[in-house]
Amino acid sequence: MSADELSVVIVGGLHADARRAAVERLLAEAPGSVALHHDLSTAVGGTVRRTVRDRTGVTDTGETPLVNDCACCALREDLVPELERLAAGGLTRLAVVELWDSVEPKAMAEVVAASGLTVSSVITAVDPALVLPYLANGDDLAERGLAAAATDQRTVADTFARQLEYAPVLAVADSPEADDEDRALLAQLHPTARRVPIGSGHPGNPAGAPAPSAQSAPEAPARETTPAVDAATDAGAGAAAGPEAPRSPLLEAAFAGFDIEAAAAAQHPACALLPVEADECGVATLVWHGRRPFHPERLYAALEDLTCAAARSRGRFWLADRPDTLLHWDAAGGALCVEAAGPWLASLPDAAWELVPPVRRAAAALDWHPEHGDRCQHLVFTSPALDRDGLTRLLDYCLLTDAEYAAGREAWSRLPRPFDTFLEV
């Protein structure tokens, strides 16, 4: 079997029990499939432990040393050779890469694709009852034993948000603790995702998030045999028998195909596929637009209130004192990250537009304004009990007033620059 005949599906997520349930189901449904997992918790001893298993159990184990004191770097170095070995063996049609808790799928998908292997899907496994607790968890990964390197400064909340929003497929556990609000929150955070059920997944709490309920499902053996699994196995065997045989939703999603460039573009601040307005089961999403720039001092003073107003907020914005810089807003777990994401296209000379990816030009065209070009405020806030009116009033208050706007760019350039501390200018 050549590398282009091996399909690689990446399954990740901080909800470890849901992730394991999704992987076990794929192994049961796809005959001849294997799962690779690199356990980064062993990095304290200087190595990362690799496990390869199929539906019957572990078939191979090994260790790889850290690279530059980084467990995630070791994973990158070891993963592709293992996948190439499986492809050369000719016996594996589907390789399921089960990522360790805090490993983000974007980096791994790009590493696998760059090697010439086929990434057939990226799936994040989710327990709906744990979505809000994890989004609200501002703890550093290092505090929870989940850091991938000594320099890893990510938090539980921002890591979970990126895992959730990158994947086009969400494998959703049937959690007895989840209610309609939990499911509405998940749907609004990633409305374009394909959500496929994976049956029962016993809830876990590896990141130290507060448990949604004092009751939890009983512990089940890793290779649980249930009617659902039996049916899935039959469906998987049928899938192997011929192209016309039906596949389960999860197995179908695993072979659906994955576009690396489109996935990256969907996360880029300039052309991100942000959620739309919604209001259901006590969860709301506010999409706020503005055509004037923010007054930097007023916005800076409002940051704490804006960051804490929603479980998740993201988008792009512009400040009056730096009108040519596209700024990225990314908040979860009560913490905000503001980063410069390059220039607005309107600030570039015409000749430079040829160097800009088509998807970026298309996104700019959708926001184009006769005076400001693609400069705009586009922020999205999603949360239970969202105060839409209060949030809108606060955001509007942070924009330039009529008089400030009329003063023009020269006057704007003399405004205070409190965001220099964020942007390290």
Side-chain angles (χ1 to χ4, degrees), residues 382-414:
T382 299
S383 188
L386 189 71
D387 181 3
R388 287 174 173 272
D389 293 340
L391 191 50
T392 300
R393 284 193 300 269
L394 181 56
L395 289 163
D396 289 346
Y397 166 75
C398 294
L399 295 173
L400 294 185
T401 64
D402 290 346
E404 291 164 342
Y405 181 76
R409 288 198 180 192
E410 185 176 343
W412 301 352
S413 68
R414 296 193 295 271

PDB file of all heavy atoms in Angstrom, residues 382-414:
ATOM      1  N   THR A 382     -20.428  34.635  22.481  1.00  0.00           N
ATOM      2  CA  THR A 382     -21.328  33.501  22.682  1.00  0.00           C
ATOM      3  C   THR A 382     -21.313  33.094  24.150  1.00  0.00           C
ATOM      4  O   THR A 382     -20.238  32.898  24.723  1.00  0.00           O
ATOM      5  CB  THR A 382     -20.908  32.299  21.812  1.00  0.00           C
ATOM      6  OG1 THR A 382     -20.961  32.664  20.429  1.00  0.00           O
ATOM      7  CG2 THR A 382     -21.837  31.113  22.054  1.00  0.00           C
ATOM      8  N   SER A 383     -22.518  32.962  24.733  1.00  0.00           N
ATOM      9  CA  SER A 383     -22.568  32.594  26.151  1.00  0.00           C
ATOM     10  C   SER A 383     -23.996  32.332  26.595  1.00  0.00           C
ATOM     11  O   SER A 383     -24.939  32.893  26.037  1.00  0.00           O
ATOM     12  CB  SER A 383     -22.000  33.740  27.000  1.00  0.00           C
ATOM     13  OG  SER A 383     -21.858  33.359  28.345  1.00  0.00           O
ATOM     14  N   PRO A 384     -24.160  31.504  27.608  1.00  0.00           N
ATOM     15  CA  PRO A 384     -25.449  31.476  28.307  1.00  0.00           C
ATOM     16  C   PRO A 384     -25.657  32.824  28.998  1.00  0.00           C
ATOM     17  O   PRO A 384     -24.690  33.489  29.405  1.00  0.00           O
ATOM     18  CB  PRO A 384     -25.281  30.349  29.332  1.00  0.00           C
ATOM     19  CG  PRO A 384     -24.127  29.533  28.846  1.00  0.00           C
ATOM     20  CD  PRO A 384     -23.227  30.495  28.138  1.00  0.00           C
ATOM     21  N   ALA A 385     -26.903  33.207  29.117  1.00  0.00           N
ATOM     22  CA  ALA A 385     -27.276  34.439  29.844  1.00  0.00           C
ATOM     23  C   ALA A 385     -26.507  35.656  29.337  1.00  0.00           C
ATOM     24  O   ALA A 385     -26.068  36.498  30.126  1.00  0.00           O
ATOM     25  CB  ALA A 385     -27.057  34.247  31.341  1.00  0.00           C
ATOM     26  N   LEU A 386     -26.360  35.780  28.040  1.00  0.00           N
ATOM     27  CA  LEU A 386     -25.626  36.902  27.453  1.00  0.00           C
ATOM     28  C   LEU A 386     -26.468  38.179  27.526  1.00  0.00           C
ATOM     29  O   LEU A 386     -27.636  38.187  27.135  1.00  0.00           O
ATOM     30  CB  LEU A 386     -25.285  36.590  26.000  1.00  0.00           C
ATOM     31  CG  LEU A 386     -24.336  37.559  25.291  1.00  0.00           C
ATOM     32  CD1 LEU A 386     -22.923  37.402  25.838  1.00  0.00           C
ATOM     33  CD2 LEU A 386     -24.349  37.318  23.780  1.00  0.00           C
ATOM     34  N   ASP A 387     -25.872  39.241  28.011  1.00  0.00           N
ATOM     35  CA  ASP A 387     -26.548  40.547  28.074  1.00  0.00           C
ATOM     36  C   ASP A 387     -26.298  41.278  26.764  1.00  0.00           C
ATOM     37  O   ASP A 387     -25.370  42.090  26.647  1.00  0.00           O
ATOM     38  CB  ASP A 387     -26.018  41.346  29.270  1.00  0.00           C
ATOM     39  CG  ASP A 387     -26.697  42.708  29.413  1.00  0.00           C
ATOM     40  OD1 ASP A 387     -27.614  43.022  28.620  1.00  0.00           O
ATOM     41  OD2 ASP A 387     -26.284  43.479  30.306  1.00  0.00           O
ATOM     42  N   ARG A 388     -27.124  41.006  25.778  1.00  0.00           N
ATOM     43  CA  ARG A 388     -26.936  41.590  24.453  1.00  0.00           C
ATOM     44  C   ARG A 388     -26.944  43.121  24.486  1.00  0.00           C
ATOM     45  O   ARG A 388     -26.058  43.775  23.920  1.00  0.00           O
ATOM     46  CB  ARG A 388     -28.042  41.124  23.507  1.00  0.00           C
ATOM     47  CG  ARG A 388     -27.963  39.697  23.031  1.00  0.00           C
ATOM     48  CD  ARG A 388     -29.221  39.390  22.225  1.00  0.00           C
ATOM     49  NE  ARG A 388     -29.155  38.090  21.587  1.00  0.00           N
ATOM     50  CZ  ARG A 388     -28.635  37.877  20.381  1.00  0.00           C
ATOM     51  NH1 ARG A 388     -28.121  38.893  19.717  1.00  0.00           N
ATOM     52  NH2 ARG A 388     -28.626  36.667  19.850  1.00  0.00           N
ATOM     53  N   ASP A 389     -27.973  43.677  25.116  1.00  0.00           N
ATOM     54  CA  ASP A 389     -28.128  45.127  25.097  1.00  0.00           C
ATOM     55  C   ASP A 389     -26.973  45.813  25.816  1.00  0.00           C
ATOM     56  O   ASP A 389     -26.426  46.809  25.327  1.00  0.00           O
ATOM     57  CB  ASP A 389     -29.467  45.524  25.731  1.00  0.00           C
ATOM     58  CG  ASP A 389     -30.661  45.065  24.908  1.00  0.00           C
ATOM     59  OD1 ASP A 389     -30.475  44.787  23.710  1.00  0.00           O
ATOM     60  OD2 ASP A 389     -31.769  44.970  25.474  1.00  0.00           O
ATOM     61  N   GLY A 390     -26.620  45.306  26.983  1.00  0.00           N
ATOM     62  CA  GLY A 390     -25.528  45.917  27.734  1.00  0.00           C
ATOM     63  C   GLY A 390     -24.207  45.815  26.990  1.00  0.00           C
ATOM     64  O   GLY A 390     -23.405  46.756  26.975  1.00  0.00           O
ATOM     65  N   LEU A 391     -23.974  44.667  26.359  1.00  0.00           N
ATOM     66  CA  LEU A 391     -22.740  44.457  25.610  1.00  0.00           C
ATOM     67  C   LEU A 391     -22.689  45.389  24.396  1.00  0.00           C
ATOM     68  O   LEU A 391     -21.648  45.997  24.096  1.00  0.00           O
ATOM     69  CB  LEU A 391     -22.674  42.994  25.172  1.00  0.00           C
ATOM     70  CG  LEU A 391     -21.363  42.454  24.601  1.00  0.00           C
ATOM     71  CD1 LEU A 391     -20.178  42.791  25.488  1.00  0.00           C
ATOM     72  CD2 LEU A 391     -21.480  40.953  24.411  1.00  0.00           C
ATOM     73  N   THR A 392     -23.810  45.528  23.709  1.00  0.00           N
ATOM     74  CA  THR A 392     -23.855  46.414  22.547  1.00  0.00           C
ATOM     75  C   THR A 392     -23.612  47.856  22.948  1.00  0.00           C
ATOM     76  O   THR A 392     -22.857  48.583  22.272  1.00  0.00           O
ATOM     77  CB  THR A 392     -25.215  46.283  21.838  1.00  0.00           C
ATOM     78  OG1 THR A 392     -25.397  44.928  21.399  1.00  0.00           O
ATOM     79  CG2 THR A 392     -25.303  47.214  20.643  1.00  0.00           C
ATOM     80  N   ARG A 393     -24.223  48.296  24.036  1.00  0.00           N
ATOM     81  CA  ARG A 393     -24.009  49.677  24.498  1.00  0.00           C
ATOM     82  C   ARG A 393     -22.540  49.922  24.837  1.00  0.00           C
ATOM     83  O   ARG A 393     -21.980  50.970  24.500  1.00  0.00           O
ATOM     84  CB  ARG A 393     -24.890  49.965  25.723  1.00  0.00           C
ATOM     85  CG  ARG A 393     -26.350  50.187  25.405  1.00  0.00           C
ATOM     86  CD  ARG A 393     -27.085  50.783  26.600  1.00  0.00           C
ATOM     87  NE  ARG A 393     -27.031  49.916  27.769  1.00  0.00           N
ATOM     88  CZ  ARG A 393     -27.945  48.983  28.043  1.00  0.00           C
ATOM     89  NH1 ARG A 393     -28.961  48.776  27.209  1.00  0.00           N
ATOM     90  NH2 ARG A 393     -27.836  48.242  29.137  1.00  0.00           N
ATOM     91  N   LEU A 394     -21.910  48.962  25.495  1.00  0.00           N
ATOM     92  CA  LEU A 394     -20.511  49.136  25.880  1.00  0.00           C
ATOM     93  C   LEU A 394     -19.614  49.190  24.647  1.00  0.00           C
ATOM     94  O   LEU A 394     -18.696  50.029  24.567  1.00  0.00           O
ATOM     95  CB  LEU A 394     -20.084  47.993  26.807  1.00  0.00           C
ATOM     96  CG  LEU A 394     -18.655  48.035  27.330  1.00  0.00           C
ATOM     97  CD1 LEU A 394     -18.371  49.341  28.052  1.00  0.00           C
ATOM     98  CD2 LEU A 394     -18.389  46.842  28.268  1.00  0.00           C
ATOM     99  N   LEU A 395     -19.839  48.322  23.694  1.00  0.00           N
ATOM    100  CA  LEU A 395     -19.033  48.329  22.471  1.00  0.00           C
ATOM    101  C   LEU A 395     -19.226  49.626  21.692  1.00  0.00           C
ATOM    102  O   LEU A 395     -18.253  50.223  21.194  1.00  0.00           O
ATOM    103  CB  LEU A 395     -19.390  47.120  21.604  1.00  0.00           C
ATOM    104  CG  LEU A 395     -18.933  45.767  22.136  1.00  0.00           C
ATOM    105  CD1 LEU A 395     -19.672  44.632  21.440  1.00  0.00           C
ATOM    106  CD2 LEU A 395     -17.429  45.591  21.962  1.00  0.00           C
ATOM    107  N   ASP A 396     -20.478  50.061  21.574  1.00  0.00           N
ATOM    108  CA  ASP A 396     -20.743  51.320  20.870  1.00  0.00           C
ATOM    109  C   ASP A 396     -20.056  52.495  21.561  1.00  0.00           C
ATOM    110  O   ASP A 396     -19.538  53.404  20.894  1.00  0.00           O
ATOM    111  CB  ASP A 396     -22.250  51.576  20.800  1.00  0.00           C
ATOM    112  CG  ASP A 396     -22.977  50.626  19.859  1.00  0.00           C
ATOM    113  OD1 ASP A 396     -22.289  49.943  19.057  1.00  0.00           O
ATOM    114  OD2 ASP A 396     -24.214  50.540  19.931  1.00  0.00           O
ATOM    115  N   TYR A 397     -20.042  52.477  22.872  1.00  0.00           N
ATOM    116  CA  TYR A 397     -19.416  53.549  23.647  1.00  0.00           C
ATOM    117  C   TYR A 397     -17.909  53.624  23.369  1.00  0.00           C
ATOM    118  O   TYR A 397     -17.308  54.706  23.429  1.00  0.00           O
ATOM    119  CB  TYR A 397     -19.666  53.295  25.140  1.00  0.00           C
ATOM    120  CG  TYR A 397     -18.808  54.126  26.071  1.00  0.00           C
ATOM    121  CD1 TYR A 397     -19.066  55.468  26.285  1.00  0.00           C
ATOM    122  CD2 TYR A 397     -17.728  53.532  26.737  1.00  0.00           C
ATOM    123  CE1 TYR A 397     -18.263  56.224  27.144  1.00  0.00           C
ATOM    124  CE2 TYR A 397     -16.919  54.271  27.596  1.00  0.00           C
ATOM    125  CZ  TYR A 397     -17.197  55.617  27.791  1.00  0.00           C
ATOM    126  OH  TYR A 397     -16.398  56.353  28.627  1.00  0.00           O
ATOM    127  N   CYS A 398     -17.299  52.504  23.044  1.00  0.00           N
ATOM    128  CA  CYS A 398     -15.855  52.470  22.818  1.00  0.00           C
ATOM    129  C   CYS A 398     -15.447  53.001  21.445  1.00  0.00           C
ATOM    130  O   CYS A 398     -14.253  53.234  21.199  1.00  0.00           O
ATOM    131  CB  CYS A 398     -15.330  51.052  22.985  1.00  0.00           C
ATOM    132  SG  CYS A 398     -15.449  50.413  24.673  1.00  0.00           S
ATOM    133  N   LEU A 399     -16.393  53.189  20.541  1.00  0.00           N
ATOM    134  CA  LEU A 399     -16.077  53.739  19.226  1.00  0.00           C
ATOM    135  C   LEU A 399     -15.790  55.240  19.326  1.00  0.00           C
ATOM    136  O   LEU A 399     -16.165  55.906  20.296  1.00  0.00           O
ATOM    137  CB  LEU A 399     -17.248  53.512  18.265  1.00  0.00           C
ATOM    138  CG  LEU A 399     -17.587  52.061  17.919  1.00  0.00           C
ATOM    139  CD1 LEU A 399     -18.869  52.002  17.102  1.00  0.00           C
ATOM    140  CD2 LEU A 399     -16.444  51.394  17.156  1.00  0.00           C
ATOM    141  N   LEU A 400     -15.144  55.791  18.313  1.00  0.00           N
ATOM    142  CA  LEU A 400     -14.945  57.238  18.256  1.00  0.00           C
ATOM    143  C   LEU A 400     -16.285  57.953  18.205  1.00  0.00           C
ATOM    144  O   LEU A 400     -17.225  57.498  17.539  1.00  0.00           O
ATOM    145  CB  LEU A 400     -14.129  57.616  17.021  1.00  0.00           C
ATOM    146  CG  LEU A 400     -12.680  57.144  16.932  1.00  0.00           C
ATOM    147  CD1 LEU A 400     -12.020  57.728  15.687  1.00  0.00           C
ATOM    148  CD2 LEU A 400     -11.881  57.522  18.167  1.00  0.00           C
ATOM    149  N   THR A 401     -16.375  59.069  18.899  1.00  0.00           N
ATOM    150  CA  THR A 401     -17.569  59.910  18.817  1.00  0.00           C
ATOM    151  C   THR A 401     -17.580  60.643  17.472  1.00  0.00           C
ATOM    152  O   THR A 401     -16.597  60.619  16.715  1.00  0.00           O
ATOM    153  CB  THR A 401     -17.586  60.935  19.949  1.00  0.00           C
ATOM    154  OG1 THR A 401     -16.463  61.822  19.773  1.00  0.00           O
ATOM    155  CG2 THR A 401     -17.486  60.260  21.318  1.00  0.00           C
ATOM    156  N   ASP A 402     -18.693  61.331  17.195  1.00  0.00           N
ATOM    157  CA  ASP A 402     -18.778  62.098  15.948  1.00  0.00           C
ATOM    158  C   ASP A 402     -17.634  63.099  15.844  1.00  0.00           C
ATOM    159  O   ASP A 402     -16.993  63.238  14.795  1.00  0.00           O
ATOM    160  CB  ASP A 402     -20.117  62.832  15.865  1.00  0.00           C
ATOM    161  CG  ASP A 402     -21.289  61.885  15.656  1.00  0.00           C
ATOM    162  OD1 ASP A 402     -21.050  60.704  15.320  1.00  0.00           O
ATOM    163  OD2 ASP A 402     -22.446  62.316  15.831  1.00  0.00           O
ATOM    164  N   ALA A 403     -17.387  63.813  16.935  1.00  0.00           N
ATOM    165  CA  ALA A 403     -16.332  64.837  16.913  1.00  0.00           C
ATOM    166  C   ALA A 403     -14.955  64.207  16.759  1.00  0.00           C
ATOM    167  O   ALA A 403     -14.115  64.709  16.001  1.00  0.00           O
ATOM    168  CB  ALA A 403     -16.399  65.665  18.189  1.00  0.00           C
ATOM    169  N   GLU A 404     -14.712  63.096  17.458  1.00  0.00           N
ATOM    170  CA  GLU A 404     -13.414  62.428  17.354  1.00  0.00           C
ATOM    171  C   GLU A 404     -13.190  61.868  15.956  1.00  0.00           C
ATOM    172  O   GLU A 404     -12.088  61.950  15.400  1.00  0.00           O
ATOM    173  CB  GLU A 404     -13.316  61.307  18.388  1.00  0.00           C
ATOM    174  CG  GLU A 404     -13.233  61.805  19.832  1.00  0.00           C
ATOM    175  CD  GLU A 404     -13.514  60.718  20.852  1.00  0.00           C
ATOM    176  OE1 GLU A 404     -14.096  59.669  20.473  1.00  0.00           O
ATOM    177  OE2 GLU A 404     -13.166  60.917  22.023  1.00  0.00           O
ATOM    178  N   TYR A 405     -14.248  61.339  15.393  1.00  0.00           N
ATOM    179  CA  TYR A 405     -14.145  60.783  14.046  1.00  0.00           C
ATOM    180  C   TYR A 405     -13.869  61.880  13.023  1.00  0.00           C
ATOM    181  O   TYR A 405     -13.024  61.733  12.135  1.00  0.00           O
ATOM    182  CB  TYR A 405     -15.432  60.039  13.696  1.00  0.00           C
ATOM    183  CG  TYR A 405     -15.429  59.400  12.333  1.00  0.00           C
ATOM    184  CD1 TYR A 405     -14.722  58.236  12.094  1.00  0.00           C
ATOM    185  CD2 TYR A 405     -16.130  59.976  11.282  1.00  0.00           C
ATOM    186  CE1 TYR A 405     -14.715  57.643  10.837  1.00  0.00           C
ATOM    187  CE2 TYR A 405     -16.130  59.393  10.015  1.00  0.00           C
ATOM    188  CZ  TYR A 405     -15.422  58.230   9.800  1.00  0.00           C
ATOM    189  OH  TYR A 405     -15.395  57.654   8.563  1.00  0.00           O
ATOM    190  N   ALA A 406     -14.550  63.018  13.167  1.00  0.00           N
ATOM    191  CA  ALA A 406     -14.386  64.120  12.226  1.00  0.00           C
ATOM    192  C   ALA A 406     -12.999  64.748  12.297  1.00  0.00           C
ATOM    193  O   ALA A 406     -12.530  65.355  11.330  1.00  0.00           O
ATOM    194  CB  ALA A 406     -15.452  65.179  12.489  1.00  0.00           C
ATOM    195  N   ALA A 407     -12.310  64.584  13.417  1.00  0.00           N
ATOM    196  CA  ALA A 407     -10.974  65.177  13.572  1.00  0.00           C
ATOM    197  C   ALA A 407      -9.960  64.566  12.621  1.00  0.00           C
ATOM    198  O   ALA A 407      -8.940  65.195  12.309  1.00  0.00           O
ATOM    199  CB  ALA A 407     -10.504  65.017  15.020  1.00  0.00           C
ATOM    200  N   GLY A 408     -10.183  63.339  12.152  1.00  0.00           N
ATOM    201  CA  GLY A 408      -9.335  62.724  11.142  1.00  0.00           C
ATOM    202  C   GLY A 408      -8.132  61.980  11.682  1.00  0.00           C
ATOM    203  O   GLY A 408      -7.836  61.993  12.875  1.00  0.00           O
ATOM    204  N   ARG A 409      -7.429  61.341  10.757  1.00  0.00           N
ATOM    205  CA  ARG A 409      -6.360  60.413  11.120  1.00  0.00           C
ATOM    206  C   ARG A 409      -5.192  61.075  11.842  1.00  0.00           C
ATOM    207  O   ARG A 409      -4.575  60.455  12.698  1.00  0.00           O
ATOM    208  CB  ARG A 409      -5.846  59.700   9.876  1.00  0.00           C
ATOM    209  CG  ARG A 409      -6.794  58.673   9.322  1.00  0.00           C
ATOM    210  CD  ARG A 409      -6.030  57.737   8.410  1.00  0.00           C
ATOM    211  NE  ARG A 409      -6.895  56.721   7.849  1.00  0.00           N
ATOM    212  CZ  ARG A 409      -6.446  55.648   7.197  1.00  0.00           C
ATOM    213  NH1 ARG A 409      -5.140  55.498   7.039  1.00  0.00           N
ATOM    214  NH2 ARG A 409      -7.268  54.760   6.708  1.00  0.00           N
ATOM    215  N   GLU A 410      -4.883  62.296  11.472  1.00  0.00           N
ATOM    216  CA  GLU A 410      -3.760  62.941  12.138  1.00  0.00           C
ATOM    217  C   GLU A 410      -4.037  63.092  13.624  1.00  0.00           C
ATOM    218  O   GLU A 410      -3.162  62.850  14.468  1.00  0.00           O
ATOM    219  CB  GLU A 410      -3.473  64.299  11.501  1.00  0.00           C
ATOM    220  CG  GLU A 410      -2.225  64.968  12.064  1.00  0.00           C
ATOM    221  CD  GLU A 410      -1.885  66.261  11.368  1.00  0.00           C
ATOM    222  OE1 GLU A 410      -2.395  66.502  10.254  1.00  0.00           O
ATOM    223  OE2 GLU A 410      -1.105  67.042  11.942  1.00  0.00           O
ATOM    224  N   ALA A 411      -5.275  63.478  13.950  1.00  0.00           N
ATOM    225  CA  ALA A 411      -5.653  63.598  15.358  1.00  0.00           C
ATOM    226  C   ALA A 411      -5.708  62.223  16.017  1.00  0.00           C
ATOM    227  O   ALA A 411      -5.313  62.062  17.177  1.00  0.00           O
ATOM    228  CB  ALA A 411      -7.004  64.304  15.476  1.00  0.00           C
ATOM    229  N   TRP A 412      -6.160  61.203  15.286  1.00  0.00           N
ATOM    230  CA  TRP A 412      -6.232  59.858  15.861  1.00  0.00           C
ATOM    231  C   TRP A 412      -4.843  59.359  16.249  1.00  0.00           C
ATOM    232  O   TRP A 412      -4.688  58.668  17.252  1.00  0.00           O
ATOM    233  CB  TRP A 412      -6.827  58.864  14.852  1.00  0.00           C
ATOM    234  CG  TRP A 412      -8.199  59.185  14.351  1.00  0.00           C
ATOM    235  CD1 TRP A 412      -9.044  60.167  14.800  1.00  0.00           C
ATOM    236  CD2 TRP A 412      -8.870  58.528  13.274  1.00  0.00           C
ATOM    237  NE1 TRP A 412     -10.202  60.165  14.068  1.00  0.00           N
ATOM    238  CE2 TRP A 412     -10.132  59.164  13.126  1.00  0.00           C
ATOM    239  CE3 TRP A 412      -8.544  57.481  12.431  1.00  0.00           C
ATOM    240  CZ2 TRP A 412     -11.054  58.768  12.165  1.00  0.00           C
ATOM    241  CZ3 TRP A 412      -9.455  57.075  11.470  1.00  0.00           C
ATOM    242  CH2 TRP A 412     -10.704  57.718  11.340  1.00  0.00           C
ATOM    243  N   SER A 413      -3.855  59.690  15.447  1.00  0.00           N
ATOM    244  CA  SER A 413      -2.500  59.201  15.711  1.00  0.00           C
ATOM    245  C   SER A 413      -1.924  59.747  17.004  1.00  0.00           C
ATOM    246  O   SER A 413      -0.948  59.209  17.531  1.00  0.00           O
ATOM    247  CB  SER A 413      -1.573  59.551  14.542  1.00  0.00           C
ATOM    248  OG  SER A 413      -1.381  60.959  14.469  1.00  0.00           O
ATOM    249  N   ARG A 414      -2.528  60.817  17.539  1.00  0.00           N
ATOM    250  CA  ARG A 414      -2.029  61.410  18.780  1.00  0.00           C
ATOM    251  C   ARG A 414      -2.774  60.899  20.008  1.00  0.00           C
ATOM    252  O   ARG A 414      -2.517  61.330  21.129  1.00  0.00           O
ATOM    253  CB  ARG A 414      -2.140  62.939  18.708  1.00  0.00           C
ATOM    254  CG  ARG A 414      -1.267  63.563  17.624  1.00  0.00           C
ATOM    255  CD  ARG A 414      -1.171  65.071  17.792  1.00  0.00           C
ATOM    256  NE  ARG A 414      -2.460  65.728  17.596  1.00  0.00           N
ATOM    257  CZ  ARG A 414      -2.914  66.163  16.413  1.00  0.00           C
ATOM    258  NH1 ARG A 414      -2.164  66.017  15.319  1.00  0.00           N
ATOM    259  NH2 ARG A 414      -4.089  66.745  16.321  1.00  0.00           N
TER     260      ARG A 414
END
